[in-house]
Amino acid sequence: MAQTPGTSSPTVLVVDDEENISYLVSSALRLAGLTVEAAATGGEALELAARVRPQVVVLDVMLPDLDGFEVLRRLRAGGCLAPVLFLTARGDTADRVRGLTSGGDDYITKPFALEELVARVHVALRRAGTQAAPTARHQVHDLVLDEDQHRVWRGETEVHLTATEFSLLRILLTNAGRVVTRAQILDHVWQYDFAGETAIIESFVSTLRKKVDGVEPKLIHTVRGVGYTVREPG
């Protein structure tokens, strides 16, 4: 199968010390086709920003070391001109005004809808003149999923999947190297809760393995008590 040249997607730096929020936001942005780096402190955010040069920063105001306003000041002083979206539980007018007048581009108050946050990140990218690159093709080792064609290959062999199997493989590939929990799989593949019943996931993963993991090396792995992951061999 002929390979198309790889494309890179804009990088979003997510800065939040609340692990659950950071994980949810990062996962939503990755599923939207963006590259994500995450930091839990202001200091870590500044180091990452200097290294990866993000196109957008999603920045919590209340961090354990520096507050978000100081992180923004240092980002700008260091030459980072990426749009900054403040993400915070502090929603009073004074904080909003301070966030926007200090150089922030948007201000999102918790709780929020992930779909809205993703939409605002894309708006920020458009304003900055950075369009998300096509992310229709996902690949780990010799396993390739093409969203535009709705086709899957393992090496030179095309693999025929049902719509549900395709959706399951897509969430695993778009989070390659990371563990996708059973709850996330239920939410993104079936889009409703099975009231804690996860046997359906195990059944579909088993079928998916037979279709795409019947050769070496094995790419789909179970993380006991958590979920599943697809990762490069070795």
Side-chain angles (χ1 to χ4, degrees):
M1 178 190 62
Q3 298 295 317
T4 57
T7 56
S8 60
S9 59
T11 298
V12 181
L13 174 57
V14 175
V15 188
D16 200 308
D17 64 325
E18 294 185 59
E19 187 176 350
N20 288 342
I21 291 179
S22 178
Y23 184 79
L24 288 171
V25 170
S26 298
S27 297
L29 292 170
R30 289 187 182 104
L31 287 170
L34 300 169
T35 300
V36 179
E37 297 285 345
T41 68
E44 185 182 355
L46 293 170
E47 292 176 5
L48 268 175
R51 188 166 74 246
V52 306
R53 299 185 179 277
Q55 279 73 57
V56 174
V57 179
V58 177
L59 178 61
D60 188 20
V61 169
M62 301 180 69
L63 296 170
D65 51 352
L66 308 171
D67 70 27
F69 302 124
E70 177 61 16
V71 173
L72 174 58
R73 187 190 70 78
R74 297 190 189 188
L75 284 172
R76 296 294 187 242
C80 177
L81 301 178
V84 171
L85 286 69
F86 281 114
L87 183 64
T88 179
R90 292 160 53 172
D92 61 82
T93 301
D95 279 337
R96 287 176 179 270
V97 171
R98 183 181 177 190
L100 296 174
T101 58
S102 63
D105 297 85
D106 206 344
Y107 201 99
I108 304 171
T109 304
K110 302 173 184 177
F112 55 88
L114 287 172
E115 294 84 357
E116 179 184 0
L117 184 146
V118 171
R120 292 196 186 193
V121 167
H122 280 295
V123 168
L125 286 168
R126 286 196 297 272
R127 286 176 178 169
T130 307
Q131 294 290 342
T135 55
R137 179 167 290 224
H138 310 284
Q139 180 169 0
V140 171
H141 193 56
D142 61 347
L143 175 61
V144 179
L145 179 148
D146 191 306
E147 293 195 40
D148 285 344
Q149 299 184 61
H150 211 273
R151 298 170 71 185
V152 173
W153 295 266
R154 183 72 196 261
E156 298 294 325
T157 304
E158 184 168 359
V159 180
H160 299 283
L161 302 180
T162 67
T164 300
E165 291 164 355
F166 187 91
S167 295
L168 175 57
L169 182 60
R170 179 172 54 200
I171 190 175
L172 293 173
L173 284 177
T174 55
N175 289 278
R178 303 177 183 88
V179 179
V180 183
T181 68
R182 291 177 175 83
Q184 288 176 311
I185 291 173
L186 286 173
D187 182 47
H188 288 286
V189 177
W190 284 273
Q191 299 180 348
Y192 61 91
D193 191 0
F194 275 81
E197 177 57 62
T198 59
I200 188 170
I201 298 176
E202 295 167 4
S203 175
F204 271 90
V205 170
S206 176
T207 302
L208 190 61
R209 279 183 168 136
K210 291 176 183 176
K211 291 186 175 183
V212 305
D213 247 2
V215 296
E216 295 292 339
K218 307 300 183 186
L219 302 177
I220 302 174
H221 302 274
T222 300
V223 180
R224 294 192 179 279
V226 183
Y228 302 92
T229 183
V230 168
R231 59 174 180 259
E232 293 281 354

